[in-house]
Amino acid sequence: MKNKLLANDAGERTFILILEEGDEAFACLTAFAQQERITAASVTAIGAFRSATIAFFEFETKNYKRIPVEVQSEVLTLMGDIAVDDEGKASLHLHVVLGLSDGSTRGGRFLEGHVQPTLEVVVRETPAKLRRRRRAELGIALIDIDQA
């Protein structure tokens, strides 16, 4: 993965990340957020994966149903945010829509994607701190706006 700082205005940084063939996107983005100490940002991306794993949250069971996508797909949109979790580590919440060769799509919570041939990511940081806290009654972690 390559990255470049595109802008740094009044504490708001904008980066471009270029992931290369074979990179695992979620791990790369998490490592980048940790390295840059990003505490609040939005993320957008386009590109392609040779395989990916997305998920659907089943509210009744409070678990994510994993959905493997084991074919080449176009990343029609990948978007979400970066906050920090209860341990102060980067917490990414990303969703993706993948386009398949027959024109159909698959979408959901983004868990993993193996890049082929590229993924172009823009990270727009804000000079804030967003805290994602685990909500036991829901089974997921959500941004706690009172802690922002």
Side-chain angles (χ1 to χ4, degrees):
M1 177 184 78
K2 299 175 185 174
N3 68 79
K4 183 176 183 178
L5 178 64
L6 298 177
N8 188 357
D9 301 314
E12 295 185 6
R13 298 184 295 173
T14 301
F15 296 92
I16 186 158
L17 290 66
I18 306 299
L19 281 67
E20 299 172 337
E21 190 161 343
D23 286 342
E24 196 290 294
F26 196 90
C28 287
L29 294 174
T30 301
F32 177 80
Q34 279 293 124
Q35 173 188 322
E36 293 295 327
R37 295 182 171 88
I38 295 173
T39 60
S42 62
V43 178
T44 58
I46 57 171
F49 296 134
R50 70 173 157 77
S51 65
T53 303
I54 59 177
F56 182 83
F57 186 70
E58 295 178 328
F59 192 75
E60 298 76 26
T61 63
K62 298 186 179 20
N63 288 307
Y64 280 96
K65 176 184 175 187
R66 295 173 68 88
I67 304 166
V69 181
E70 297 293 338
V71 296
Q72 181 74 23
S73 61
E74 292 283 333
V75 178
L76 303 178
T77 186
L78 185 150
M79 62 187 305
D81 58 55
I82 300 171
V84 293
D85 64 17
D86 290 328
E87 288 81 42
K89 295 182 181 176
S91 173
L92 281 66
H93 182 187
L94 304 172
H95 286 235
V96 67
V97 178
L98 302 173
L100 306 181
S101 65
D102 65 359
S104 65
T105 58
R106 297 273 175 90
R109 175 86 180 251
F110 179 63
L111 301 179
E112 178 180 76
H114 299 276
V115 175
Q116 183 173 292
T118 190
L119 187 71
E120 302 165 351
V121 183
V122 175
V123 177
R124 288 185 179 88
E125 181 185 38
T126 62
K129 292 186 179 179
L130 293 178
R131 177 61 58 116
R132 198 177 318 279
R133 294 202 181 275
R134 182 109 178 116
R135 299 270 307 269
E137 76 279 13
L138 297 176
I140 55 176
L142 300 175
I143 290 177
D144 183 347
I145 201 156
D146 294 328
Q147 298 294 311

